[in-house]
Amino acid sequence: MSRIEEALEKAATLRASLPKTANLERVRPVEDTAARQQHSAQTEYVLPPAPVVEISNPYVVAATRPGSREAEEYRKLKSTIVALTRRDEFINLIMVTSSLGGEGKSITALNLAVTLAREYDHTVLLIDADLRKPSLHSYLGIEPKLGISDCLTKGIDVGEALVKTGVGKLTFLPAGGGIDNPSEMLSSQKVRDLILEMKHRYPDRYIIIDSPPVLPVSETRSIGALADGIIFVVKEGGASPDEVRDACGAFEKGKILGVVYNNARPSANGGYHYYDYGYGHQDSSAASGSETAGNGKGMFARIFSRSRR
């Protein structure tokens, strides 16, 4: 046997005597490194960009016409709400409602949320809790797949249903799929636990809840019991003074931050028509047509937008 043949045979014998994993271990790190690089590249590639909502609905004046008179009224409302909720302690859970449907509560909640979220200091979570007639998603121009009803009925985590709007620091929790028993569901312990969990999960942000109107349904009273404060929307020519009194009487009086008087029209003397609802504070400036008036507990804000709900 030649020396070359002897050398080849010794090499073959040596390779055979090595553990079977030895050669694999030499190769695997290279393969793993390449695989990791490829996986990392694929992961970065498939991540979707942050969703951005393009608001074009003319009723959302805080986003579409920020320089308008109507948008300025919402900024006044925002300033009043901030003053009322950031005193001794920050009360962050605010419900917006009305006596009847069609008075502008949803538009008020949305414009207030947009106005708050556009300031550097305020992060806002807007919740559509009107499961009977949800409308906020349509004003925002989106078709969400999940919402609060899915969190309640399917155990989905709230984080999976949230929509980042791209409008300031505004996040939206839609109503979600329809359910057969909204009254029972929104009055249940599940809702109480979920709302309080969100309040404590996001203690540094405003949580604005668009609720159903008070008089036609019962669940709004349950939501109002959890809220730190309530904004009441009254449309001129809408609910009667007696209906507004009955609706306000459904809540603890100290919880109602004030009233947004919506769709006001100028009177002959240059002021504005308004009902004496017998709630909150009305001083001489309100009677003379001032656009906002209040004593620190109740407040009246004139909003001139032609709101639907």
Side-chain angles (χ1 to χ4, degrees):
M1 180 179 297
S2 67
R3 291 182 179 180
I4 294 178
E5 290 174 335
E6 288 177 357
L8 291 174
E9 184 177 353
K10 287 181 180 180
T13 303
L14 179 61
R15 284 196 301 269
S17 65
L18 290 173
K20 293 184 179 180
T21 59
N23 290 332
L24 293 176
E25 289 174 352
R26 295 176 183 175
V27 176
R28 186 175 297 146
V30 178
E31 293 176 346
D32 286 351
T33 300
R36 282 196 299 270
Q37 290 175 345
Q38 182 180 8
H39 176 71
S40 175
Q42 290 175 346
T43 301
E44 293 175 1
Y45 178 76
V46 298
L47 283 177
V52 176
V53 175
E54 295 292 339
I55 302 177
S56 58
N57 191 291
Y59 291 105
V60 193
V61 293
T64 58
R65 293 188 293 127
S68 65
R69 185 180 182 185
E70 295 91 340
E72 182 61 28
E73 293 302 313
Y74 284 113
R75 285 191 286 272
K76 293 178 183 178
L77 175 61
K78 177 264 301 177
S79 298
T80 304
I81 294 301
V82 171
L84 292 173
T85 56
R86 288 187 177 272
R87 290 183 171 177
D88 297 334
E89 60 177 340
F90 177 39
I91 57 174
N92 66 327
L93 187 58
I94 309 298
M95 185 181 82
V96 182
T97 191
S98 58
S99 303
L100 304 173
E103 297 200 74
K105 65 175 184 58
S106 298
I107 282 297
T108 299
L110 179 52
N111 277 289
L112 174 60
V114 170
T115 304
L116 280 167
R118 283 193 158 173
E119 290 197 358
Y120 290 111
D121 294 337
H122 303 133
T123 303
V124 182
L125 171 59
L126 175 64
I127 302 174
D128 193 342
D130 191 348
L131 302 187
R132 297 172 185 268
K133 290 184 178 181
S135 60
L136 293 180
H137 67 282
S138 62
Y139 288 125
L140 288 169
I142 61 175
E143 290 295 335
K145 297 180 179 179
L146 298 173
I148 189 171
S149 65
D150 302 287
C151 299
L152 294 169
T153 59
K154 301 175 184 177
I156 294 173
D157 184 77
V158 171
E160 297 182 35
L162 296 179
V163 178
K164 294 181 179 179
T165 66
V167 178
K169 297 179 180 179
L170 175 61
T171 303
F172 175 49
L173 177 59
I179 56 178
D180 297 330
N181 56 344
S183 180
E184 290 80 1
M185 179 59 71
L186 289 176
S187 302
S188 68
Q189 185 65 36
K190 277 188 175 182
V191 169
R192 177 182 177 84
D193 293 342
L194 180 62
I195 290 178
L196 292 180
E197 191 272 335
M198 284 189 287
K199 174 179 171 63
H200 295 299
R201 183 190 294 197
Y202 309 113
D204 59 339
R205 71 179 62 187
Y206 279 104
I207 300 177
I208 308 249
I209 301 177
D210 176 27
S211 77
V214 179
L215 297 182
V217 300
S218 60
E219 59 262 29
T220 307
R221 293 165 172 81
S222 300
I223 301 173
L226 302 175
D228 295 324
I230 298 170
I231 298 173
F232 228 89
V233 179
V234 177
K235 179 182 178 181
E236 181 172 347
S240 69
D242 287 340
E243 288 172 322
V244 174
R245 292 190 191 98
D246 289 345
C248 289
F251 308 105
E252 296 177 29
K253 191 171 183 180
K255 281 195 173 184
I256 299 182
L257 300 176
V259 175
V260 171
Y261 189 42
N262 191 32
N263 211 17
R265 58 189 174 86
S267 63
N269 63 3
Y272 293 90
H273 295 283
Y274 68 101
Y275 294 121
D276 178 7
Y277 291 106
Y279 186 82
H281 171 75
Q282 299 181 60
D283 59 16
S284 58
S285 63
S288 64
S290 166
E291 293 176 353
T292 58
N295 66 350
K297 290 186 178 180
M299 53 86 188
F300 280 75
R302 273 74 170 154
I303 306 298
F304 303 102
S305 59
R306 298 291 172 180
S307 304
R308 293 176 178 174
R309 294 190 68 250

